[in-house]
Amino acid sequence: MTLTNPRGTQDILPADMMYWHHIEATSRTIFNMYHYEEIRTPIFELSELFERGLGNETDIVSKEMYTFMDKGNRSLTLRPEGTASIVRAAIQHPQLTKHNQAKLYYCGPMFRYERPQAGRYRQFHQIGIENIGNAHPFTDAEVISLGLHLFDELGLPGLSVSINSVGCPVCRPVIQERLKQFIVNNLQHLCGDCNRRFDQNPLRILDCKNDKCRTYFTGLPDIHKSLCHDCKDHFNSVVEYLDSLGVPFEIDPKLVRGLDYYTKTTFEIVSDKLGAQNAICGGGRYDNLIKKMGGKSTPAVGFAFGVERAVMVLKEFSEIINRQDPLIFVAPIGFNQQTRCFRLMNELRRAGLKCEMDYSKEDLKSQLKTADKMEARFCLIFGEEEAEKNEIILKDLLERKQDSYPIENIVDILADKILKR
Ligand code: HAM
């Protein structure tokens, strides 16, 4: 039996790489403009980090973590998201917050044992930012607007932004209580998850994706009315600053997000080009997480987006041109010409040109076929006749024309054609 990749994982094949590179390179450029620096943390961490950081009641911690015991009997978990690790690193390395703030970005694989479907995987990739140390609502607005700036630059169409406030430890109990009062009479109609959440974390009921449950959420009391003074002010300021930046958004009082660390602002960016898994990006403020994880009380806000989902939209709807460097196929005719061509390839590559040769072939026809299959742009043909004259034929496979040149000039000629375009 042949082996395949595990369920919920994907091989990212060379044909898709240009989308990945485009996303990664654009993200780095934009993050740099906003003065974020890259951080790389381990792919596995102590399980306790996520249990404490994300909350035991979350779907991620209760159902979706890849947890295992290592040979030293430590419980480790493949990271399901990036925020908890960044917070751990910020606490562990005080030099990161020496100016009382750290603006960090990260990219890499995350792991969640979810039911795979289009746009939902067990190993997926996130690119995210964490802005640590800034309580000002400008920061929330800037982080959201940065996300949109990045997606505009990537060329992702059909996006919309939803924002909400989930309050803080002062007003959250009031919100939870009002929600319970609203829901209690219909509890018997709601799913098992909602019933469990009713006691443990009623706010998360609003995150239920079950259509039947959602019909019972219409007419929900305005949770913004239950926000404390500070959270209300903060939310109104974020709204005002987003307006001033011209960021289009909707307020969605049901947007509570699936992670317990959020306080005040939560937001999501969805794409109408994706199916059921339409959230490209999610984030929010988490002012209590750093203290909870053992650090000094420090406000923070951030987001992460799913790279696979961004790739899905780009592949279908954008017109990124394949900016791959043109390939030069080097075709010696006959055994005697091979060594000179082998050396020529070395010269071409040292000059920054991409080239390839098929060591197993000596006749021109089959080499031209290979060049065609490899979608080479140019072919250099070097036969006995050319060797005698110290020349080489340059065939332009796109424009279908060819000329002979002195072999010692060919690297410069191609460099002029390709690199100075
Ligand atoms: P999240 O909403 O769980 O937030 O994930 C962020 C994004 O990752 C989602 O919007 C989605 O695009 C992508 N994603 C999540 N799960 C999967 C999956 N199974 N397959 C494919 N893509 C997926 C967080 O992870 C927070 N740490 C974001 C954050 C950063 N909040 C503050 N700072």
Side-chain angles (χ1 to χ4, degrees):
M1 198 179 69
T2 47
L3 291 176
T4 57
N5 57 316
R7 188 165 141 76
T9 68
Q10 299 190 97
D11 295 315
I12 303 154
L13 301 179
D16 278 353
M17 268 313 158
M18 64 172 170
Y19 299 104
W20 287 76
H21 289 169
H22 171 61
I23 292 168
E24 286 161 6
T26 310
S27 302
R28 284 178 207 284
T29 306
I30 300 288
F31 294 156
N32 184 44
M33 270 177 214
Y34 288 76
H35 197 208
Y36 282 78
E37 293 177 302
E38 184 170 4
I39 182 166
R40 298 187 192 192
T41 58
I43 282 173
F44 58 83
E45 298 266 5
L46 294 176
S47 304
E48 196 190 336
L49 175 73
F50 303 115
E51 287 159 6
R52 271 172 54 191
L54 316 190
N56 274 321
E57 301 311 326
T58 58
D59 283 354
I60 297 183
V61 173
S62 63
K63 305 184 201 159
E64 297 170 359
M65 295 213 299
Y66 279 92
T67 296
F68 58 97
M69 299 303 283
D70 76 357
K71 292 194 169 70
N73 226 19
R74 295 171 201 91
S75 177
L76 300 174
T77 294
L78 298 184
R79 61 182 186 194
E81 58 105 58
T83 311
S85 306
I86 306 304
V87 162
R88 182 210 32 80
I91 298 169
Q92 193 175 335
H93 308 285
Q95 69 269 32
L96 289 177
T97 42
K98 64 175 185 276
H99 305 298
N100 292 326
Q101 70 158 24
K103 292 169 75 174
L104 302 165
Y105 77 86
Y106 52 94
C107 9
M110 308 290 161
F111 305 84
R112 295 183 192 175
Y113 190 80
E114 293 195 82
R115 202 154 42 82
Q117 64 179 83
R120 189 163 71 193
Y121 309 99
R122 290 181 174 169
Q123 175 175 330
F124 59 99
H125 295 74
Q126 279 186 348
I127 295 185
I129 59 166
E130 308 298 347
N131 186 318
I132 295 173
N134 290 300
H136 199 289
F138 271 149
T139 325
D140 312 45
E142 187 188 81
V143 162
I144 297 170
S145 139
L146 186 170
L148 270 193
H149 182 179
L150 169 57
F151 297 144
D152 279 347
E153 211 61 36
L154 288 175
L156 292 181
L159 300 180
S160 50
V161 182
S162 304
I163 67 162
N164 190 24
S165 174
V166 292
C168 69
V170 174
C171 52
R172 180 93 43 88
V174 183
I175 301 174
Q176 308 261 47
E177 204 37 56
R178 290 192 82 189
L179 204 61
K180 279 175 104 166
Q181 281 168 15
F182 173 75
I183 274 165
V184 70
N185 293 333
N186 288 317
L187 202 55
Q188 74 272 26
H189 304 297
L190 303 186
C191 70
D193 274 348
C194 284
N195 272 274
R196 199 169 37 81
R197 287 169 178 163
F198 186 81
D199 295 318
Q200 288 161 350
N201 187 357
L203 201 58
R204 291 269 294 119
I205 291 182
L206 298 181
D207 203 32
C208 183
K209 301 289 182 279
N210 185 318
D211 285 340
K212 186 173 160 231
C213 294
R214 292 186 82 88
T215 58
Y216 292 98
F217 303 157
T218 35
L220 184 79
D222 184 353
I223 66 171
H224 293 150
K225 287 201 175 128
S226 315
L227 292 175
C228 63
H229 198 66
D230 186 30
C231 288
K232 215 179 266 177
D233 270 0
H234 189 93
F235 185 68
N236 290 340
S237 301
V238 175
V239 165
E240 184 192 329
Y241 300 148
L242 285 173
D243 277 337
S244 81
L245 293 174
V247 171
F249 64 91
E250 255 176 38
I251 297 173
D252 175 1
K254 292 200 193 73
L255 182 69
V256 291
R257 312 245 322 116
L259 293 147
D260 280 357
Y261 49 61
Y262 292 114
T263 50
K264 297 183 176 161
T265 314
T266 52
F267 68 94
E268 232 162 52
I269 303 180
V270 301
S271 162
D272 64 11
K273 310 291 180 211
L274 290 167
Q277 300 305 315
N278 63 354
I280 289 255
C281 174
R285 181 166 276 287
Y286 47 96
D287 288 348
N288 297 328
L289 182 60
I290 297 172
K291 181 150 186 240
K292 188 173 171 204
M293 301 307 286
K296 278 194 297 193
S297 174
T298 312
V301 53
F303 72 67
F305 74 92
V307 183
E308 282 79 358
R309 293 185 191 178
V311 169
M312 281 166 76
V313 179
L314 282 182
K315 264 173 91 166
E316 212 173 328
F317 297 97
S318 83
E319 286 170 13
I320 311 179
I321 333 144
N322 189 345
R323 289 203 192 82
Q324 284 201 22
D325 297 331
L327 178 69
I328 304 160
F329 190 87
V330 183
I333 310 173
F335 173 77
N336 291 338
Q337 275 52 256
Q338 280 188 333
T339 314
R340 178 65 188 96
C341 284
F342 186 61
R343 212 172 75 224
L344 177 62
M345 277 216 301
N346 190 42
E347 290 158 17
L348 289 165
R349 287 169 178 159
R350 294 233 168 205
L353 298 165
K354 183 161 88 176
C355 58
E356 183 64 285
M357 175 173 152
D358 185 341
Y359 301 141
S360 69
K361 295 196 178 112
E362 290 176 24
D363 73 295
L364 183 62
K365 202 167 157 210
S366 64
Q367 292 192 78
L368 283 174
K369 257 194 206 158
T370 312
D372 200 43
K373 274 193 204 141
M374 289 183 178
E375 296 178 16
R377 172 65 211 276
F378 300 102
C379 185
L380 287 173
I381 302 167
F382 189 64
E384 215 171 313
E385 212 176 294
E386 285 71 36
E388 272 167 24
K389 292 194 266 177
N390 248 331
E391 284 186 347
I392 193 159
I393 298 170
L394 172 61
K395 191 174 168 76
D396 188 321
L397 298 172
L398 194 69
E399 292 177 9
R400 307 213 156 269
K401 57 180 191 192
Q402 64 179 55
D403 276 307
S404 291
Y405 299 94
I407 192 162
E408 67 268 21
N409 296 345
I410 195 65
V411 174
D412 288 344
I413 291 167
L414 279 165
D416 265 2
K417 263 187 199 299
I418 295 172
L419 302 178
K420 295 198 182 142
R421 277 183 319 168

